[in-house]
Amino acid sequence: MSDTWDYYFLRVDDQPASIFLNLSAFERAPDAKLPHMAYLRLYMQAPREDGLSNQEEFDALMALEDHVTEALEGDGAAYVGRCTTNGCRDFFFYVAKPDDWAARVAKALDTYPEYEYDVGTREDEDWGLYFGYLYPSAMDMQTIQNRRVCEALENDGDALKTPRPIDHYAYFKTAAGADAFANAAAALGFEVTGRGDPTDTHDEYGVHLTREDTPSYEHIDSITLPLFELALDNEGEYDGWECPVVEGKPN
């Protein structure tokens, strides 16, 4: 089974941050054979003013990451993700024994003497760092899904510039929750274009919304996240969105 890596943005200690992680590790964690979390904190040489990585340093950081993670994974560590914030890039691993971690990292970084770094380990049998820090919240996961749909549209030739009807779906435990969601969404300008009652194969109440919007990277979160929160407030779950592909240049 191939691993699935993805990223999302958030704030850590009130600073802009970017997390890149192996989402597939969720399915097989925690690994009892790797009960210790081990990290490498790299101090970037040319971070942006907001503390994130600079495009000028991108190639160097990616080459370093490929080299270091390959070396350490070959030595028995499992690389699960990284966080970039406040001028640092923290790489997180799980290992069987932490005793020689500093020496292993030093060996892996011996061809990058220009970078300063720190290392550390701690016992983490439950993989709390992975689940509690790296893994996205439900809302962060929605932003990942939003970007994936935009990427799929773009790959089909969509410029993501043209407004068009966007369909949204949500499901609820109760009819009252579905009604409250539908009414609140209508007040936000969404048209309720479908309702669904529980069936033998689906025991929830469904709501289908439509509104004309532009599915761009810049705006899709501001369109969907209010619906995500609204569904949650009414004991429901926002189930994503879809729209037709509009090929070519916008009108």
Side-chain angles (χ1 to χ4, degrees):
M1 181 177 61
S2 61
D3 289 335
T4 300
W5 290 78
D6 218 317
Y7 67 92
Y8 64 100
F9 295 96
L10 71 167
R11 296 187 74 83
V12 173
D13 295 332
D14 204 32
Q15 297 293 320
S18 171
I19 285 182
F20 177 67
L21 79 156
N22 183 357
L23 292 168
S24 300
F26 182 92
E27 301 169 8
R28 51 185 184 269
D31 186 340
K33 296 179 180 178
L34 303 171
H36 299 274
M37 184 277 293
Y39 73 85
L40 157 63
R41 167 164 292 179
L42 192 79
Y43 294 93
M44 296 184 292
Q45 293 188 315
R48 298 184 337 197
E49 289 186 2
D50 62 3
L52 297 179
S53 58
N54 196 312
Q55 189 63 33
E56 296 176 3
E57 198 177 4
F58 178 84
D59 290 340
L61 289 172
M62 294 306 296
L64 183 151
E65 180 173 3
D66 289 345
H67 174 78
V68 170
T69 56
E70 182 178 355
L72 293 171
E73 286 198 301
D75 201 19
Y79 177 46
V80 294
R82 59 169 158 79
C83 177
T84 304
T85 188
N86 201 27
C88 299
R89 176 159 286 182
D90 295 339
F91 302 92
F92 297 102
F93 301 78
Y94 280 90
V95 299
K97 297 180 179 180
D99 300 347
D100 60 347
W101 178 247
R104 292 161 66 182
V105 172
K107 182 179 178 181
L109 278 172
D110 62 359
T111 56
Y112 292 91
E114 67 274 23
Y115 279 96
E116 296 182 3
Y117 67 93
D118 291 323
V119 298
T121 65
R122 74 163 185 253
E123 187 174 351
D124 190 10
E125 293 182 357
D126 296 330
W127 284 38
L129 181 281
Y130 176 79
F131 290 113
Y133 181 65
L134 292 177
Y135 201 80
S137 67
M139 182 174 288
D140 290 326
M141 187 65 81
Q142 183 59 52
T143 68
I144 292 174
Q145 296 296 340
N146 288 343
R147 191 184 67 252
R148 288 177 176 176
V149 177
C150 287
E151 289 171 350
L153 291 168
E154 202 170 41
N155 289 337
D156 285 336
D158 199 316
L160 306 180
K161 300 291 185 181
T162 303
R164 83 288 303 266
I166 299 179
D167 296 308
H168 305 266
Y169 304 91
Y171 295 93
F172 299 86
K173 296 179 180 179
T174 66
D179 289 341
F181 172 82
N183 292 335
L188 295 176
F190 292 91
E191 178 184 359
V192 180
T193 50
R195 295 290 298 267
D197 292 332
T199 66
D200 292 338
T201 58
H202 195 89
D203 61 356
E204 294 181 305
Y205 295 85
V207 179
H208 174 194
L209 305 174
T210 304
R211 193 177 75 178
E212 186 169 286
D213 285 297
T214 302
S216 65
Y217 291 108
E218 297 81 6
H219 299 117
I220 193 61
D221 287 346
S222 65
I223 296 167
T224 62
L225 294 186
L227 295 177
F228 178 96
E229 293 182 310
L230 192 57
L232 197 63
D233 289 343
N234 290 284
E235 297 186 301
E237 180 179 356
Y238 178 71
D239 197 41
W241 59 278
E242 62 182 0
C243 67
V245 174
V246 178
E247 296 186 41
K249 296 180 180 180
N251 294 330

Coordinates of all heavy atoms in Angstrom, one line a residue, residues 37-109:
M37 N 9.2 8.9 20.0 CA 9.2 10.0 19.0 C 10.6 10.6 19.0 O 11.2 10.8 20.1 CB 8.2 11.0 19.3 CG 8.0 12.1 18.3 SD 9.2 13.5 18.5 CE 8.7 14.2 20.0
A38 N 11.1 10.9 17.8 CA 12.4 11.5 17.7 C 12.3 12.6 16.7 O 11.6 12.5 15.6 CB 13.5 10.5 17.2
Y39 N 12.9 13.8 17.0 CA 12.8 14.9 16.1 C 14.1 15.5 15.7 O 15.1 15.3 16.4 CB 11.9 16.0 16.7 CG 12.5 16.8 17.8 CD1 13.3 17.9 17.5 CD2 12.3 16.4 19.1 CE1 13.9 18.6 18.6 CE2 12.9 17.1 20.2 CZ 13.7 18.2 19.9 OH 14.3 19.0 20.9
L40 N 14.1 16.2 14.6 CA 15.2 17.0 14.1 C 14.7 18.4 13.8 O 13.8 18.5 13.0 CB 15.8 16.4 12.8 CG 16.6 17.3 11.9 CD1 17.8 17.9 12.6 CD2 17.0 16.6 10.6
R41 N 15.2 19.4 14.5 CA 14.8 20.8 14.3 C 15.9 21.4 13.4 O 17.0 21.6 13.9 CB 14.5 21.5 15.6 CG 14.4 23.0 15.4 CD 13.8 23.7 16.6 NE 12.4 23.4 16.7 CZ 11.6 23.9 17.7 NH1 12.1 24.7 18.6 NH2 10.4 23.5 17.7
L42 N 15.5 21.8 12.2 CA 16.4 22.5 11.3 C 16.2 24.0 11.3 O 15.0 24.4 11.2 CB 16.3 21.9 9.9 CG 17.3 22.3 8.9 CD1 18.6 21.4 9.1 CD2 16.8 22.1 7.5
Y43 N 17.2 24.8 11.5 CA 17.0 26.2 11.4 C 17.3 26.7 10.0 O 18.4 26.6 9.5 CB 18.0 26.9 12.4 CG 17.7 26.6 13.8 CD1 18.3 25.5 14.4 CD2 16.8 27.3 14.5 CE1 18.1 25.2 15.8 CE2 16.5 27.0 15.9 CZ 17.1 26.0 16.5 OH 16.9 25.6 17.8
M44 N 16.2 27.2 9.4 CA 16.3 27.6 8.0 C 17.2 28.8 7.8 O 17.3 29.6 8.7 CB 14.9 27.9 7.4 CG 14.0 26.7 7.4 SD 12.4 27.0 6.6 CE 11.6 28.1 7.8
Q45 N 17.9 28.9 6.7 CA 18.8 30.0 6.5 C 18.1 31.3 5.9 O 18.7 32.4 6.2 CB 19.9 29.5 5.5 CG 20.8 28.5 6.0 CD 22.0 28.2 5.1 OE1 21.8 28.0 3.9 NE2 23.1 28.0 5.7
A46 N 17.0 31.1 5.2 CA 16.4 32.3 4.6 C 14.9 32.2 4.7 O 14.2 32.2 3.7 CB 16.8 32.4 3.2
P47 N 14.3 32.1 5.9 CA 12.9 32.1 6.1 C 12.2 33.4 5.7 O 12.8 34.4 5.6 CB 12.7 31.8 7.6 CG 13.9 32.4 8.2 CD 15.0 32.2 7.3
R48 N 11.0 33.3 5.3 CA 10.2 34.5 5.0 C 10.0 35.3 6.3 O 10.2 34.8 7.4 CB 8.8 34.1 4.4 CG 8.9 33.4 3.1 CD 7.6 33.1 2.4 NE 6.4 33.0 3.3 CZ 5.3 32.5 2.9 NH1 5.2 31.9 1.7 NH2 4.2 32.5 3.7
E49 N 9.5 36.5 6.1 CA 9.2 37.3 7.3 C 8.2 36.7 8.2 O 8.2 36.9 9.5 CB 8.7 38.7 6.9 CG 9.8 39.6 6.2 CD 9.3 41.0 5.9 OE1 8.2 41.3 6.3 OE2 10.1 41.7 5.3
D50 N 7.3 35.9 7.7 CA 6.3 35.2 8.5 C 6.7 33.9 9.1 O 6.0 33.2 9.8 CB 5.0 35.0 7.8 CG 5.1 34.1 6.6 OD1 6.2 33.5 6.4 OD2 4.1 33.8 5.9
G51 N 8.0 33.6 8.9 CA 8.6 32.4 9.5 C 8.5 31.1 8.7 O 9.0 30.0 9.1
L52 N 7.7 31.1 7.5 CA 7.6 30.0 6.7 C 8.8 29.9 5.7 O 9.6 30.8 5.7 CB 6.3 30.0 5.9 CG 5.0 30.0 6.8 CD1 3.8 30.0 6.0 CD2 5.0 28.7 7.7
S53 N 8.9 28.9 4.9 CA 10.0 28.7 4.0 C 9.9 29.6 2.8 O 8.9 29.9 2.3 CB 10.1 27.2 3.6 OG 8.9 26.9 2.9
N54 N 11.1 30.1 2.4 CA 11.2 31.0 1.3 C 11.4 30.1 0.0 O 12.1 29.1 0.0 CB 12.4 31.9 1.5 CG 12.4 33.1 0.6 OD1 12.2 32.9 -0.6 ND2 12.6 34.3 1.1
Q55 N 10.9 30.6 -1.1 CA 11.0 29.9 -2.4 C 12.5 29.8 -2.8 O 12.9 28.8 -3.4 CB 10.2 30.6 -3.5 CG 10.1 29.9 -4.8 CD 9.4 28.6 -4.7 OE1 8.4 28.5 -3.9 NE2 9.8 27.6 -5.4
E56 N 13.3 30.8 -2.4 CA 14.7 30.7 -2.7 C 15.4 29.6 -2.1 O 16.5 29.1 -2.6 CB 15.4 32.1 -2.3 CG 14.8 33.3 -3.1 CD 15.5 34.6 -2.6 OE1 16.3 34.5 -1.7 OE2 15.1 35.6 -3.1
E57 N 14.9 29.1 -1.0 CA 15.6 28.0 -0.2 C 14.9 26.7 -0.5 O 15.3 25.6 0.0 CB 15.6 28.3 1.3 CG 16.6 27.5 2.1 CD 16.6 27.9 3.5 OE1 15.8 28.8 3.9 OE2 17.4 27.4 4.3
F58 N 13.8 26.7 -1.3 CA 13.0 25.5 -1.5 C 13.8 24.3 -2.0 O 13.7 23.2 -1.4 CB 11.9 25.8 -2.5 CG 11.0 24.7 -2.8 CD1 9.9 24.4 -2.0 CD2 11.2 23.9 -3.9 CE1 9.1 23.3 -2.3 CE2 10.4 22.8 -4.2 CZ 9.3 22.5 -3.4
D59 N 14.5 24.5 -3.0 CA 15.3 23.3 -3.6 C 16.3 22.7 -2.6 O 16.4 21.5 -2.5 CB 16.0 23.7 -4.9 CG 15.0 24.0 -6.0 OD1 13.9 23.5 -6.0 OD2 15.4 24.7 -7.0
A60 N 17.0 23.6 -1.9 CA 17.9 23.1 -0.9 C 17.3 22.4 0.2 O 17.8 21.3 0.7 CB 18.7 24.3 -0.4
L61 N 16.1 22.9 0.7 CA 15.4 22.2 1.8 C 14.9 20.8 1.3 O 14.9 19.9 2.1 CB 14.3 23.1 2.3 CG 14.7 24.3 3.1 CD1 13.5 25.2 3.4 CD2 15.4 23.9 4.4
M62 N 14.3 20.8 0.1 CA 13.8 19.5 -0.4 C 14.9 18.5 -0.6 O 14.7 17.3 -0.2 CB 13.0 19.7 -1.7 CG 11.8 20.6 -1.5 SD 10.6 20.0 -0.3 CE 10.2 18.4 -1.0
A63 N 16.1 18.9 -1.1 CA 17.2 18.0 -1.3 C 17.6 17.5 0.1 O 17.9 16.3 0.3 CB 18.3 18.7 -2.0
L64 N 17.7 18.4 1.1 CA 18.1 18.0 2.4 C 17.1 17.0 3.0 O 17.5 15.9 3.6 CB 18.3 19.2 3.3 CG 18.7 19.0 4.7 CD1 19.5 20.2 5.2 CD2 17.6 18.7 5.7
E65 N 15.9 17.3 2.9 CA 14.8 16.4 3.4 C 14.9 15.0 2.8 O 14.8 14.0 3.5 CB 13.4 17.0 3.2 CG 12.3 16.1 3.7 CD 11.0 16.8 3.6 OE1 10.9 17.9 3.1 OE2 10.0 16.2 4.1
D66 N 15.0 14.9 1.5 CA 15.1 13.6 0.8 C 16.3 12.8 1.3 O 16.2 11.6 1.6 CB 15.2 13.8 -0.7 CG 13.9 14.3 -1.3 OD1 12.9 14.2 -0.7 OD2 14.0 14.8 -2.5
H67 N 17.5 13.5 1.4 CA 18.7 12.9 1.8 C 18.6 12.4 3.3 O 18.9 11.2 3.6 CB 19.9 13.8 1.7 CG 21.2 13.3 2.3 ND1 21.9 12.3 1.6 CD2 21.8 13.5 3.4 CE1 23.0 12.0 2.3 NE2 22.9 12.7 3.4
V68 N 18.1 13.3 4.2 CA 18.1 12.9 5.6 C 17.1 11.9 5.9 O 17.3 10.9 6.6 CB 17.9 14.2 6.4 CG1 17.6 13.8 7.9 CG2 19.1 15.1 6.3
T69 N 15.9 12.0 5.4 CA 14.8 11.0 5.7 C 15.2 9.6 5.1 O 14.9 8.6 5.7 CB 13.5 11.5 5.2 OG1 13.5 11.7 3.7 CG2 13.0 12.7 5.9
E70 N 15.8 9.6 3.9 CA 16.2 8.3 3.3 C 17.2 7.7 4.2 O 17.2 6.5 4.5 CB 16.7 8.5 1.9 CG 17.1 7.2 1.2 CD 17.6 7.5 -0.2 OE1 17.5 8.6 -0.7 OE2 18.0 6.5 -0.8
A71 N 18.2 8.5 4.7 CA 19.2 7.9 5.5 C 18.7 7.4 6.8 O 19.0 6.3 7.3 CB 20.3 9.0 5.8
L72 N 17.8 8.1 7.5 CA 17.3 7.8 8.8 C 16.3 6.6 8.7 O 16.3 5.7 9.5 CB 16.7 9.0 9.5 CG 17.7 10.1 9.9 CD1 17.0 11.3 10.4 CD2 18.7 9.5 10.9
E73 N 15.5 6.6 7.6 CA 14.5 5.5 7.5 C 15.3 4.2 7.2 O 14.9 3.1 7.6 CB 13.5 5.8 6.4 CG 12.5 6.8 6.8 CD 11.2 6.8 6.0 OE1 11.4 7.1 4.7 OE2 10.1 6.6 6.5
G74 N 16.4 4.3 6.4 CA 17.2 3.2 6.1 C 17.8 2.6 7.4 O 18.2 1.5 7.4
D75 N 17.9 3.5 8.4 CA 18.5 3.1 9.7 C 17.4 2.7 10.7 O 17.7 2.6 11.9 CB 19.3 4.2 10.3 CG 20.3 3.8 11.3 OD1 20.7 2.6 11.3 OD2 20.8 4.7 12.0
G76 N 16.2 2.5 10.2 CA 15.1 1.9 11.1 C 14.1 2.9 11.6 O 13.1 2.5 12.3
A77 N 14.2 4.2 11.3 CA 13.2 5.2 11.7 C 12.1 5.3 10.8 O 12.2 5.0 9.6 CB 13.9 6.6 11.9
A78 N 10.9 5.7 11.2 CA 9.7 5.9 10.4 C 9.5 7.4 10.4 O 9.1 8.0 11.4 CB 8.5 5.1 10.9
Y79 N 9.6 8.0 9.2 CA 9.3 9.4 9.1 C 7.8 9.6 8.9 O 7.2 9.1 8.0 CB 10.1 9.9 7.8 CG 9.9 11.4 7.5 CD1 9.9 12.4 8.5 CD2 9.7 11.8 6.2 CE1 9.7 13.7 8.2 CE2 9.5 13.1 5.8 CZ 9.5 14.1 6.8 OH 9.3 15.4 6.5
V80 N 7.2 10.5 9.7 CA 5.8 10.6 9.7 C 5.3 12.1 9.3 O 4.2 12.3 8.9 CB 5.1 10.3 11.0 CG1 5.3 8.8 11.3 CG2 5.7 11.1 12.2
G81 N 6.3 13.0 9.3 CA 5.8 14.4 8.9 C 6.8 15.5 9.4 O 7.7 15.2 10.2
R82 N 6.4 16.7 9.0 CA 7.2 17.8 9.5 C 6.3 19.0 9.7 O 5.2 19.1 9.1 CB 8.3 18.2 8.4 CG 7.8 18.5 7.0 CD 8.9 19.1 6.2 NE 8.7 18.9 4.8 CZ 7.9 19.7 4.0 NH1 7.2 20.7 4.6 NH2 7.8 19.5 2.7
C83 N 6.8 20.0 10.4 CA 6.1 21.3 10.6 C 7.1 22.4 10.4 O 8.2 22.4 10.9 CB 5.6 21.4 12.1 SG 4.7 22.9 12.4
T84 N 6.7 23.3 9.6 CA 7.5 24.5 9.3 C 6.8 25.7 9.9 O 5.7 26.1 9.6 CB 7.6 24.7 7.8 OG1 8.2 23.6 7.2 CG2 8.5 25.9 7.5
T85 N 7.6 26.4 10.8 CA 7.0 27.6 11.5 C 8.2 28.3 12.2 O 9.2 27.7 12.6 CB 5.9 27.2 12.5 OG1 5.3 28.4 13.0 CG2 6.5 26.4 13.7
N86 N 8.0 29.7 12.3 CA 8.9 30.5 13.1 C 10.4 30.3 12.7 O 11.3 30.3 13.6 CB 8.7 30.2 14.6 CG 9.2 31.3 15.5 OD1 9.2 32.5 15.1 ND2 9.6 30.9 16.7
G87 N 10.6 30.1 11.4 CA 12.0 30.0 11.0 C 12.6 28.6 11.1 O 13.8 28.5 10.8
C88 N 11.9 27.7 11.5 CA 12.4 26.3 11.7 C 11.6 25.3 10.9 O 10.4 25.5 10.6 CB 12.3 25.9 13.2 SG 13.3 27.0 14.3
R89 N 12.2 24.2 10.6 CA 11.5 23.0 10.0 C 11.8 21.8 10.9 O 12.9 21.4 11.0 CB 12.0 22.8 8.6 CG 11.3 21.6 8.0 CD 11.4 21.7 6.4 NE 10.4 22.6 5.9 CZ 10.2 22.8 4.6 NH1 10.9 22.2 3.7 NH2 9.2 23.7 4.3
D90 N 10.8 21.3 11.6 CA 10.9 20.2 12.5 C 10.5 18.9 11.8 O 9.3 18.8 11.3 CB 10.0 20.4 13.7 CG 10.4 21.6 14.6 OD1 11.6 22.0 14.4 OD2 9.6 22.1 15.3
F91 N 11.3 17.9 11.7 CA 11.1 16.6 11.1 C 10.8 15.6 12.3 O 11.6 15.6 13.2 CB 12.3 16.2 10.3 CG 12.7 17.1 9.2 CD1 13.6 18.1 9.4 CD2 12.1 17.0 7.9 CE1 14.0 18.9 8.4 CE2 12.4 17.9 6.9 CZ 13.4 18.8 7.1
F92 N 9.7 14.9 12.1 CA 9.3 13.9 13.2 C 9.4 12.5 12.7 O 8.9 12.2 11.6 CB 7.9 14.3 13.7 CG 7.8 15.6 14.3 CD1 7.3 16.7 13.5 CD2 8.2 15.9 15.6 CE1 7.2 18.0 14.1 CE2 8.1 17.1 16.1 CZ 7.6 18.2 15.4
F93 N 10.0 11.7 13.6 CA 10.1 10.2 13.3 C 9.7 9.4 14.5 O 9.6 9.9 15.6 CB 11.6 9.9 13.0 CG 12.3 10.7 11.9 CD1 12.7 12.0 12.1 CD2 12.5 10.1 10.7 CE1 13.3 12.7 11.0 CE2 13.1 10.7 9.6 CZ 13.5 12.1 9.8
Y94 N 9.5 8.1 14.3 CA 9.3 7.2 15.4 C 10.4 6.1 15.2 O 10.7 5.7 14.1 CB 7.9 6.6 15.4 CG 6.9 7.5 16.0 CD1 6.2 8.5 15.2 CD2 6.7 7.5 17.3 CE1 5.3 9.3 15.8 CE2 5.8 8.4 17.9 CZ 5.1 9.3 17.1 OH 4.2 10.2 17.7
V95 N 11.0 5.8 16.4 CA 12.1 4.9 16.4 C 12.0 3.8 17.5 O 11.2 4.0 18.4 CB 13.4 5.7 16.6 CG1 13.7 6.7 15.5 CG2 13.4 6.4 18.0
A96 N 12.7 2.7 17.3 CA 12.7 1.7 18.3 C 13.5 2.0 19.6 O 13.0 1.8 20.7 CB 13.2 0.4 17.7
K97 N 14.7 2.6 19.4 CA 15.5 3.0 20.5 C 16.1 4.4 20.3 O 16.6 4.7 19.2 CB 16.7 2.0 20.6 CG 16.2 0.5 20.9 CD 17.4 -0.4 21.1 CE 17.0 -1.8 21.4 NZ 18.1 -2.7 21.6
P98 N 16.0 5.2 21.3 CA 16.4 6.6 21.1 C 17.8 6.9 21.4 O 18.3 8.0 21.2 CB 15.5 7.4 22.0 CG 15.3 6.4 23.2 CD 15.3 5.0 22.5
D99 N 18.5 6.0 22.0 CA 19.8 6.2 22.6 C 20.8 6.9 21.6 O 21.6 7.8 22.0 CB 20.4 4.9 23.1 CG 19.6 4.3 24.2 OD1 18.6 5.0 24.6 OD2 19.8 3.1 24.5
D100 N 20.9 6.4 20.4 CA 21.9 6.9 19.4 C 21.3 7.9 18.4 O 21.9 8.1 17.3 CB 22.5 5.8 18.7 CG 21.5 4.9 17.9 OD1 20.3 5.1 18.1 OD2 22.0 4.1 17.1
W101 N 20.2 8.5 18.7 CA 19.5 9.4 17.8 C 20.4 10.5 17.3 O 20.5 10.9 16.1 CB 18.2 9.9 18.3 CG 17.4 10.8 17.4 CD1 17.2 12.1 17.6 CD2 16.8 10.5 16.1 NE1 16.5 12.7 16.5 CE2 16.2 11.7 15.6 CE3 16.8 9.3 15.4 CZ2 15.6 11.7 14.4 CZ3 16.1 9.3 14.2 CH2 15.5 10.5 13.7
A102 N 21.0 11.2 18.2 CA 21.8 12.4 17.9 C 23.0 12.0 16.9 O 23.3 12.7 16.0 CB 22.4 13.0 19.2
A103 N 23.6 10.8 17.2 CA 24.6 10.4 16.3 C 24.1 10.0 14.9 O 24.8 10.3 13.9 CB 25.3 9.2 16.9
R104 N 23.0 9.4 14.9 CA 22.4 9.0 13.6 C 22.0 10.3 12.8 O 22.3 10.3 11.5 CB 21.1 8.2 13.8 CG 21.4 6.8 14.4 CD 20.2 6.2 15.0 NE 19.2 5.8 14.1 CZ 18.0 5.3 14.4 NH1 17.8 5.0 15.7 NH2 17.1 5.0 13.5
V105 N 21.5 11.3 13.4 CA 21.2 12.6 12.7 C 22.5 13.3 12.2 O 22.5 13.7 11.1 CB 20.4 13.5 13.6 CG1 20.2 14.9 12.9 CG2 19.0 12.9 13.9
A106 N 23.5 13.3 13.1 CA 24.7 13.9 12.7 C 25.3 13.3 11.5 O 25.8 14.0 10.6 CB 25.7 13.9 13.9
K107 N 25.3 12.0 11.4 CA 25.8 11.3 10.3 C 25.0 11.6 9.0 O 25.5 11.8 7.9 CB 25.8 9.8 10.5 CG 26.3 8.9 9.4 CD 26.3 7.4 9.7 CE 26.8 6.6 8.6 NZ 26.8 5.1 8.9
A108 N 23.7 11.7 9.2 CA 22.8 12.0 8.0 C 23.0 13.4 7.5 O 22.8 13.7 6.3 CB 21.3 11.7 8.4
L109 N 23.4 14.3 8.4 CA 23.5 15.7 8.0 C 25.0 16.1 7.8 O 25.3 17.3 7.6 CB 23.0 16.6 9.1 CG 21.5 16.8 9.1 CD1 21.1 17.6 10.4 CD2 21.0 17.6 7.9

